[in-house]
Amino acid sequence: MNSFIEELKWRGLFADMMPGTDEQLNKEVTTAYIGFDPTADSLHIGSLIQIKILAHFQQHGHKPIALVGGATGMIGDPSGKSSERNLLDEETLLHYVDCLKNQLSRFLDFEGSGPNKAELVNNYDWMKNISFLDFAKNVGKNITVNYMMAKDSVKKRFSGESGADGMSFTEFTYQLIQGYDFLHLYQNNQVKLQMGGSDQWGNITTGTELIRRKAQGEAFALTVPLITKADGSKFGKSESGENYWLDKKKTSPYRFYQFWFNAADDDAERFIKFYTFLGKEEIESLIEDHKAAPHERKLQKKLAEEVTVWVHGQEEYEKALKASAILFGRSTAEDLVSLDEETFLDVFDGVPQKELSKTDVLNVNIIDLLSEKTGFLKSKSESQRELKGNAISVNKQKVTADFIASDKDLINDRFLLLQKGKSNYFIIKVI
């Protein structure tokens, strides 16, 4: 078996492939592509598997191409969808394409002159000048409607299985346009393999069929499983349904780190194979160590470290680690002060807050601040009692009854963190 396919299989990242795919990969350096849909100005963790597949492909000596769908993004892929996407205007779409190109360039090796140097392409570049009549004549006549109707993604939409009310002609043509991408890349970039999620099988094989009929050539398909959590629920979103983005401006490295760190044990065993480049022996050793002492969460810690470093770099990982330690008492006041505002608010998400003016916060007796000004503690007598018991901290530092906050105590010039005991927090936001 080809070493790339073997790696995918032991990692649990193999779903299906066309006959002859492994022989093609053994025969020569092969060029393959995966498409990325520009639906936002950042990819999210749902795209990490596809990026990972291209990275593994390159590491095994083959040439990866990342295709950003500037043209297909105007239509929307109907695979697995129950409703049609709201179409984006061209200016927004092209902005998204540029953002995704910049992101993808961080994960693959585009440097050098080797035969497996990565490439980025945008299908809008070759689709924008093709007229509808030319496409219908030169491409459409090669694939029958019966062939297109037989695809699962189409059948489900037409039968109502997916809860959809049919499918527009625009979406129906999606698989033909994606198939043409494969044909174009086959003819111009020597691409012989398209890879993607298992929901893409129908679109990918439409491309191999178009290559067979139009170019009398042979091309191949390989798919990976769609990732779910061990309990079958959808992977990659928060409980409130928010995406975890790869852009740190949209999802802070701290929240990104926490997502992986909080993985359930069963998920962590699978995810460390899916999302890291660690070898088989190291992963098996980590799993054994974890089973012997699951409370230490070694597996989750390593998973969170590897993925955060891969996506955000070592420095951001170390910041996320410091931020994580703040809630569990293993940090210093300096660690707290070093947090940027977004990470500070992420760390203390859900902690009670109150907005106060500077005159209500600075140069005010700590007893009044804890009670009357904030309501953090019920009364002045409780404040005095807790202060005497050495239970009150401001910005992670113990304080006494004579403490008075000043400008230099404000985190990011606007926050003061009150704390009673180990885990009872309150944030003052100075306005």
Side-chain angles (χ1 to χ4, degrees):
M1 188 188 301
N2 177 265
S3 61
F4 168 68
I5 295 170
E6 192 173 7
E7 172 137 17
L8 295 189
K9 286 190 171 181
W10 79 256
R11 288 184 182 275
L13 289 175
F14 178 86
D16 204 354
M17 65 181 175
M18 285 181 63
T21 303
D22 51 351
E23 289 87 349
Q24 168 61 34
L25 295 177
N26 281 328
K27 183 172 70 174
E28 61 187 358
V29 174
T30 301
T31 305
Y33 87 97
I34 292 178
F36 295 87
D37 222 357
T39 54
D41 59 2
S42 170
L43 296 167
H44 52 75
I45 60 174
S47 302
L48 278 180
I49 285 295
Q50 311 304 336
I51 297 171
K52 210 80 173 56
I53 298 303
L54 287 177
H56 281 304
F57 193 69
Q58 186 171 37
Q59 287 181 357
H60 282 266
H62 298 288
K63 183 179 179 68
I65 291 182
L67 180 147
V68 182
T72 39
M74 292 181 176
I75 296 172
D77 184 0
S79 303
K81 308 291 192 306
S82 61
S83 60
E84 189 155 345
R85 177 194 301 166
N86 292 325
L87 302 184
L88 301 170
D89 63 80
E90 187 173 335
E91 183 181 355
T92 301
L93 188 71
L94 294 179
H95 169 65
Y96 288 174
V97 167
D98 283 341
C99 292
L100 265 56
K101 279 185 172 183
N102 289 333
Q103 255 183 358
L104 287 165
S105 65
R106 300 205 314 261
F107 298 106
L108 300 167
D109 184 5
F110 293 87
E111 303 302 319
S113 56
N116 71 329
K117 180 177 117 175
E119 282 185 42
L120 271 167
V121 296
N122 176 4
N123 60 10
Y124 185 71
D125 291 339
W126 57 83
M127 291 297 302
K128 63 185 176 184
N129 295 321
I130 300 176
S131 72
F132 176 77
L133 290 177
D134 285 341
F135 191 81
K137 180 177 70 173
N138 297 321
V139 181
K141 71 175 183 180
N142 292 281
I143 300 291
T144 66
V145 170
N146 287 350
Y147 180 88
M148 296 171 72
M149 290 284 289
K151 301 295 184 183
D152 284 342
S153 60
V154 176
K155 281 197 293 187
K156 286 179 181 176
R157 288 287 290 270
F158 273 96
S159 67
E161 283 181 49
S162 61
D165 184 21
M167 176 187 283
S168 71
F169 175 75
T170 301
E171 282 198 321
F172 184 62
T173 59
Y174 185 93
Q175 64 168 292
L176 200 55
I177 295 173
Q178 184 171 325
Y180 180 73
D181 286 343
F182 201 172
L183 173 65
H184 175 89
L185 291 171
Y186 175 86
Q187 292 176 323
N188 295 277
N189 299 71
Q190 294 74 54
V191 171
K192 293 188 178 177
L193 173 64
Q194 185 182 168
M195 302 184 288
S198 55
D199 62 332
Q200 292 294 308
W201 183 259
N203 291 334
I204 295 172
T205 52
T206 296
T208 62
E209 184 67 9
L210 190 57
I211 288 167
R212 185 183 71 80
R213 296 185 184 188
K214 179 79 174 167
Q216 292 76 51
E218 186 177 27
F220 303 93
L222 186 150
T223 58
V224 300
L226 299 179
I227 307 301
T228 58
K229 293 182 181 178
D231 61 8
S233 62
K234 192 165 185 178
F235 165 81
K237 292 198 174 186
S238 68
E239 289 181 8
S240 61
E242 295 174 309
N243 280 315
Y244 286 87
W245 302 94
L246 305 190
D247 184 341
K248 69 179 183 180
K249 293 176 185 173
K250 295 170 81 74
T251 298
S252 70
Y254 165 77
R255 285 190 65 228
F256 186 86
Y257 173 88
Q258 286 295 315
F259 172 82
W260 302 100
F261 180 76
N262 290 325
D265 288 351
D266 287 346
D267 286 330
E269 276 194 35
R270 296 161 59 238
F271 292 171
I272 202 156
K273 295 176 185 176
F274 295 169
Y275 293 101
T276 78
F277 291 98
L278 300 176
K280 190 174 184 180
E281 288 184 9
E282 186 174 356
I283 287 176
E284 288 173 350
S285 175
L286 278 166
I287 291 171
E288 288 305 309
D289 288 348
H290 178 79
K291 286 178 177 175
H295 62 284
E296 294 181 8
R297 299 181 70 78
K298 286 183 180 177
L299 206 53
Q300 284 90 340
K301 287 176 184 174
K302 191 62 176 173
L303 169 67
E305 175 188 351
E306 290 291 316
V307 184
T308 306
V309 170
W310 182 48
V311 173
H312 292 296
Q314 185 69 31
E315 185 179 345
E316 293 294 348
Y317 159 70
E318 289 172 5
K319 286 182 187 175
L321 207 56
K322 278 185 180 179
S324 299
I326 284 167
L327 282 178
F328 303 103
R330 299 187 302 273
S331 62
T332 65
E334 288 75 21
D335 290 338
L336 186 66
V337 172
S338 70
L339 295 181
D340 58 77
E341 181 176 336
E342 184 183 13
T343 305
F344 175 81
L345 293 174
D346 278 343
V347 169
F348 295 101
D349 185 34
V351 168
Q353 296 184 25
K354 187 168 185 177
E355 291 186 346
L356 292 172
S357 67
K358 272 196 174 187
T359 54
D360 282 331
V361 177
L362 304 184
N363 303 313
V364 172
N365 184 284
I366 185 65
I367 293 171
D368 291 337
L369 195 61
L370 290 168
S371 53
E372 289 179 357
K373 299 291 186 184
T374 62
F376 177 41
L377 301 183
K378 293 176 184 175
S379 64
K380 287 187 177 185
S381 58
E382 183 187 358
S383 299
Q384 288 171 330
R385 188 170 60 252
E386 296 295 347
L387 285 161
K388 279 182 182 177
N390 200 33
I392 300 298
S393 299
V394 175
N395 295 347
K396 304 297 281 188
Q397 288 188 316
K398 296 287 186 184
V399 296
T400 58
D402 60 357
F403 175 82
I404 294 176
S406 64
D407 272 309
K408 64 181 176 58
D409 295 306
L410 295 180
I411 300 167
N412 283 296
D413 297 321
R414 54 190 317 217
F415 299 109
L416 205 63
L417 180 69
L418 308 180
Q419 183 180 355
K420 184 182 84 168
K422 285 188 176 180
S423 56
N424 195 358
Y425 292 99
F426 190 94
I427 294 171
I428 299 173
K429 190 173 184 180
V430 177
I431 53 173

